[in-house]
Coordinates of all heavy atoms in Angstrom, one line a residue:
G543 N 1.8 7.4 -6.0 CA 0.6 8.0 -5.6 C -0.4 7.0 -5.2 O -0.2 5.8 -5.1
E544 N -1.6 7.5 -4.9 CA -2.7 6.7 -4.4 C -3.2 5.6 -5.4 O -3.3 4.4 -4.9 CB -3.9 7.5 -4.0 CG -3.5 8.5 -2.8 CD -3.1 7.7 -1.7 OE1 -3.8 6.9 -1.0 OE2 -1.8 8.0 -1.2
E545 N -3.3 5.9 -6.7 CA -3.7 4.9 -7.7 C -2.6 3.8 -7.7 O -2.8 2.7 -7.9 CB -3.9 5.6 -9.0 CG -5.2 6.3 -9.0 CD -6.5 5.5 -8.6 OE1 -6.7 4.5 -9.1 OE2 -7.2 6.1 -7.8
D546 N -1.4 4.3 -7.6 CA -0.3 3.4 -7.7 C -0.2 2.4 -6.6 O 0.0 1.2 -6.6 CB 1.1 4.0 -7.8 CG 1.2 5.1 -8.9 OD1 1.0 4.7 -9.9 OD2 1.4 6.2 -8.5
A547 N -0.6 3.0 -5.4 CA -0.6 2.1 -4.1 C -1.9 1.0 -4.3 O -1.7 -0.1 -3.8 CB -1.0 3.0 -2.9
K548 N -2.9 1.3 -5.0 CA -3.9 0.2 -5.2 C -3.3 -0.8 -6.1 O -3.6 -2.0 -5.9 CB -5.2 1.0 -5.9 CG -6.0 1.9 -5.0 CD -7.0 2.7 -5.7 CE -7.8 3.7 -4.8 NZ -8.8 4.4 -5.6
R549 N -2.6 -0.4 -7.1 CA -2.0 -1.4 -8.0 C -1.0 -2.3 -7.1 O -1.0 -3.4 -7.4 CB -1.3 -0.6 -9.1 CG -0.7 -1.7 -10.1 CD 0.1 -1.0 -11.2 NE -0.8 0.0 -11.9 CZ -0.6 1.3 -11.9 NH1 0.2 1.9 -11.2 NH2 -1.5 2.1 -12.6
R550 N -0.2 -1.6 -6.4 CA 0.7 -2.4 -5.5 C -0.1 -3.5 -4.7 O 0.3 -4.6 -4.6 CB 1.6 -1.5 -4.6 CG 2.5 -2.2 -3.9 CD 3.4 -1.3 -2.9 NE 4.5 -2.0 -2.4 CZ 5.4 -1.5 -1.5 NH1 5.1 -0.2 -1.0 NH2 6.3 -2.1 -1.1
A551 N -1.2 -3.1 -4.1 CA -1.9 -3.9 -3.1 C -2.5 -5.1 -4.0 O -2.4 -6.2 -3.6 CB -3.0 -3.3 -2.5
A552 N -3.0 -4.8 -5.2 CA -3.6 -5.9 -6.1 C -2.6 -6.9 -6.6 O -2.9 -8.0 -6.7 CB -4.2 -5.2 -7.3
N553 N -1.3 -6.4 -6.7 CA -0.1 -7.2 -7.1 C 0.4 -8.0 -6.0 O 1.3 -8.9 -6.2 CB 0.9 -6.5 -7.8 CG 0.5 -6.1 -9.2 OD1 -0.3 -6.7 -9.8 ND2 1.2 -4.9 -9.7
N554 N 0.0 -8.0 -4.6 CA 0.4 -9.0 -3.7 C 0.2 -10.3 -4.1 O 1.1 -11.2 -3.7 CB -0.3 -8.6 -2.4 CG 0.2 -7.5 -1.5 OD1 1.5 -7.2 -1.7 ND2 -0.6 -6.9 -0.7
A555 N -0.9 -10.6 -4.8 CA -1.2 -11.9 -5.2 C -0.1 -12.5 -6.2 O -0.1 -13.8 -6.3 CB -2.5 -12.0 -5.8
K556 N 0.6 -11.8 -6.9 CA 1.6 -12.1 -7.7 C 3.1 -12.3 -7.2 O 4.1 -12.5 -7.9 CB 1.7 -11.2 -9.0 CG 0.5 -11.1 -9.7 CD 0.5 -10.2 -10.8 CE -1.0 -9.9 -11.6 NZ -0.9 -9.1 -12.8
L557 N 3.2 -12.1 -5.8 CA 4.4 -12.1 -5.2 C 4.8 -13.5 -4.8 O 3.9 -14.3 -4.3 CB 4.6 -11.2 -3.9 CG 4.3 -9.6 -4.2 CD1 4.4 -9.0 -2.9 CD2 5.4 -9.1 -5.1
S558 N 6.1 -14.0 -5.0 CA 6.5 -15.3 -4.6 C 6.4 -15.4 -3.1 O 6.5 -14.4 -2.4 CB 7.9 -15.6 -5.1 OG 8.4 -16.8 -4.6
E559 N 6.2 -16.7 -2.8 CA 6.3 -16.8 -1.2 C 7.6 -16.4 -0.6 O 8.6 -16.7 -1.1 CB 6.0 -18.4 -1.0 CG 6.0 -18.8 0.5 CD 5.7 -20.2 0.8 OE1 5.4 -21.0 -0.3 OE2 5.7 -20.7 1.9
G560 N 7.4 -15.7 0.5 CA 8.7 -15.2 1.1 C 9.0 -13.8 0.9 O 9.7 -13.1 1.5
E561 N 8.4 -13.2 -0.3 CA 8.5 -11.9 -0.6 C 7.7 -11.0 0.4 O 6.7 -11.3 0.9 CB 8.1 -11.5 -2.0 CG 8.9 -12.2 -3.1 CD 10.3 -11.7 -3.1 OE1 10.5 -10.4 -2.8 OE2 11.2 -12.4 -3.6
R562 N 8.2 -9.8 0.7 CA 7.4 -8.9 1.6 C 6.0 -8.5 1.0 O 6.2 -7.8 0.0 CB 8.4 -7.7 2.0 CG 7.7 -6.7 2.9 CD 8.7 -5.7 3.4 NE 9.0 -4.8 2.3 CZ 8.2 -3.6 2.1 NH1 7.2 -3.3 2.8 NH2 8.6 -2.8 1.0
V563 N 5.1 -8.8 1.7 CA 3.7 -8.4 1.2 C 3.4 -7.0 1.6 O 3.8 -6.5 2.8 CB 2.8 -9.4 1.9 CG1 1.3 -8.9 1.5 CG2 3.0 -10.8 1.4
Y564 N 2.9 -6.2 0.7 CA 2.5 -4.9 0.9 C 1.3 -4.7 1.8 O 0.2 -5.4 1.6 CB 2.3 -4.1 -0.4 CG 1.7 -2.7 -0.3 CD1 2.5 -1.7 0.4 CD2 0.6 -2.4 -0.8 CE1 1.8 -0.5 0.5 CE2 0.0 -1.2 -0.7 CZ 0.6 -0.1 -0.1 OH 0.3 1.0 0.1
Q565 N 1.5 -3.8 2.9 CA 0.4 -3.4 3.7 C 0.0 -2.0 3.6 O 1.0 -1.1 3.7 CB 0.7 -3.8 5.1 CG 0.8 -5.3 5.5 CD 1.1 -5.6 6.9 OE1 1.4 -4.7 7.7 NE2 1.2 -6.9 7.2
D566 N -1.2 -1.7 3.1 CA -1.4 -0.3 2.8 C -1.4 0.5 4.2 O -1.7 0.2 5.3 CB -3.0 -0.2 2.5 CG -3.4 1.2 2.2 OD1 -2.6 1.8 1.5 OD2 -4.7 1.5 2.3
G567 N -0.7 1.6 4.0 CA -0.4 2.7 5.0 C 1.0 2.6 5.4 O 1.4 3.7 6.0
D568 N 1.8 1.6 5.2 CA 3.2 1.5 5.6 C 4.1 2.6 5.0 O 5.0 2.9 5.4 CB 3.7 0.1 5.5 CG 3.1 -0.8 6.5 OD1 2.5 -0.5 7.5 OD2 3.3 -2.0 6.4
D569 N 3.5 2.9 3.9 CA 4.3 3.8 2.9 C 3.9 5.2 2.8 O 4.3 5.9 2.0 CB 4.3 3.3 1.5 CG 2.8 3.0 1.0 OD1 1.9 3.0 1.9 OD2 2.6 2.7 -0.1
L570 N 3.0 5.7 3.7 CA 2.5 7.0 3.6 C 3.5 8.1 3.9 O 4.3 7.8 4.9 CB 1.2 7.2 4.6 CG 0.0 6.6 4.2 CD1 -1.1 6.6 5.3 CD2 -0.6 7.3 3.0
L571 N 3.8 9.1 3.2 CA 4.7 10.1 3.3 C 4.0 11.1 4.4 O 4.8 11.7 5.1 CB 4.9 10.9 2.0 CG 6.0 10.2 1.3 CD1 6.0 10.9 -0.2 CD2 7.4 10.3 1.9
M572 N 2.7 11.2 4.4 CA 2.1 12.2 5.4 C 0.9 11.3 6.1 O 0.1 10.7 5.3 CB 1.5 13.3 4.6 CG 2.6 14.3 4.2 SD 2.0 15.4 2.9 CE 1.9 14.4 1.5
P573 N 0.8 11.4 7.3 CA -0.3 10.6 8.1 C -1.7 11.0 7.6 O -1.9 12.1 7.3 CB -0.1 11.0 9.4 CG 0.6 12.2 9.4 CD 1.6 12.3 8.3
R574 N -2.6 10.0 7.6 CA -3.9 10.3 7.3 C -4.6 11.2 8.1 O -4.3 11.3 9.3 CB -4.7 9.0 7.1 CG -4.4 8.1 5.9 CD -5.4 7.0 5.8 NE -5.1 6.3 4.6 CZ -4.6 5.1 4.6 NH1 -4.1 4.4 5.9 NH2 -4.4 4.3 3.6
D575 N -5.4 12.2 7.7 CA -6.2 13.0 8.5 C -7.3 12.3 9.2 O -8.4 12.0 8.7 CB -6.7 14.1 7.7 CG -7.4 15.2 8.6 OD1 -7.5 15.0 9.7 OD2 -7.9 16.1 7.9
T576 N -7.0 11.8 10.4 CA -8.1 11.1 11.2 C -9.2 12.0 11.8 O -10.2 11.5 12.4 CB -7.4 10.4 12.3 OG1 -6.7 11.3 13.2 CG2 -6.3 9.4 11.9
T577 N -9.1 13.2 11.6 CA -10.1 14.1 12.2 C -11.1 14.5 11.1 O -12.3 15.1 11.5 CB -9.4 15.5 12.6 OG1 -8.9 16.3 11.5 CG2 -8.4 15.2 13.6
A578 N -10.9 14.1 9.9 CA -11.9 14.3 8.8 C -13.2 13.6 9.1 O -13.2 12.4 9.5 CB -11.3 14.1 7.5
A579 N -14.3 14.2 8.7 CA -15.5 13.4 9.0 C -15.7 12.3 7.9 O -15.2 12.4 6.9 CB -16.7 14.5 8.7

């Protein structure tokens, strides 16, 4: 879920060089609602 995604982003700093770095949004199951105010 969303809180887990924040943890994943924070742990990018702990990945070894060459590991795939997490980019927020690549993993969404449903697209964000871009029409919301």
